[in-house]
Every structure is written in structure tokens, then in C-alpha cells.
Amino acid sequence: MDQTVEVLKKEFAGLRTGRAHVSLLDPVMVEAYGQSMPLQQVGTVGSPEPRMLTVSVWDKGMVKATEKAIRDAGLGLNPMADGQTIRVPIPPLTEERRQDLTKVASKYAEAARVAVRNVRRDGNDALKKMEKDGKISQDELHQYSAEIQKLTDDTIKHLDETLEHKQKEIMHV
């Protein structure tokens, strides 16, 4: 469940709030050498200015594929190739774009909630199997199930707080 919270925070780092940050390009996957790989494996991402990202592509043949991957990632960015360097200007956020980003953040949070519930289900299934095999008693089953539910509730509350914080950050002008 803790890993789910960490994954959500990484996904939120990729949602921009109007300033350039290298983690903005973390979700970009580039088709290279017949397979899909993270952008960080084909070049170096930098942030020379508050509203500009640069990607220094290591292999000259990968520049077009990298540029296309950034454009097609759904981040609303328009990269420009300059030799082996790709410049990615970060446009200012409009109110409409901010609302779209809060919806994306909500989708990420809902996916995290589902993952937490799946962990709860797996834990409860394992407990039921242990009880069926005679390894734990019925009282222990109920006790452990209650502990799992409490952990689930606490984790979902933490996810909701993280979402609320990110939405405030996105909507702040």
C-alpha cells in the first residue's frame, strides 16, 4: 500500500504546474530499437530556464522518435529539435488546462485507490486460505481482517490528502 502512495506521488510529479521540472517528462516512452523505453534511457533531460526543458539525445538517429514521443505523450507540449538537442518550451497554464490537469490527477488517484483495494482483497484472500487450512482461528481471521481494513482506510485517506494538495497546487495561479 505504501508503494502505491509512492507511485501516485511520482505520477503527480509529472503533472506540471506552470514551471519546468525534469520529472515532467518521466511518463514519456520512446519507441527505440524496436521496443518502448523511458525517455531517460535515450537522452539527458535538463531544465536550463524556468519555462524550458531540454533533452540531449545520445543517438542522433533517435531525435525524431524522441520528439514524436514527447509530442504524443498527451502533456500538451510542443518540442522543437535543434541538432541532437530537443527544446521543450513550457507554455503558461490556462484555466481550462488547469481543470484538465486536476481531472488527470483525479484519475491517477482513483487508480491508486483501486490498487490499494486490490492489495486488501489479496490480503483477505490469503487470510481466508490460512483459516481454511487451519493455520489461524476464525477469531484471528476477523482480527487480521480488521487490521487490513484499518490500513486500507488510512492509506486511502492519505491518497485523498495527496490529491487535494496536488489539486490546490495546480489551481494556484
Side-chain angles (χ1 to χ4, degrees), residues 72-149:
D72 295 345
L75 299 172
L77 301 174
N78 190 21
M80 298 172 288
D82 181 17
Q84 278 187 247
T85 301
I86 298 173
R87 301 188 189 289
V88 185
I90 308 296
L93 291 175
T94 63
E95 183 68 24
E96 180 180 328
R97 181 70 179 141
R98 288 177 194 275
Q99 289 174 348
D100 289 344
L101 287 174
T102 59
K103 289 177 186 175
V104 170
S106 296
K107 287 179 186 176
Y108 287 165
E110 184 56 34
R113 285 187 207 103
V114 169
V116 168
R117 291 184 195 117
N118 287 340
V119 170
R120 176 188 62 192
R121 184 195 64 224
D122 293 345
N124 283 334
D125 288 349
L127 286 174
K128 288 176 186 174
K129 185 177 183 325
M130 289 172 70
E131 193 255 341
K132 181 181 171 190
D133 293 343
K135 294 179 181 175
I136 62 173
S137 68
Q138 210 171 21
D139 289 340
E140 288 174 316
L141 171 70
H142 290 295
Q143 177 186 357
Y144 292 141
S145 294
E147 286 180 33
I148 289 174
Q149 184 60 46

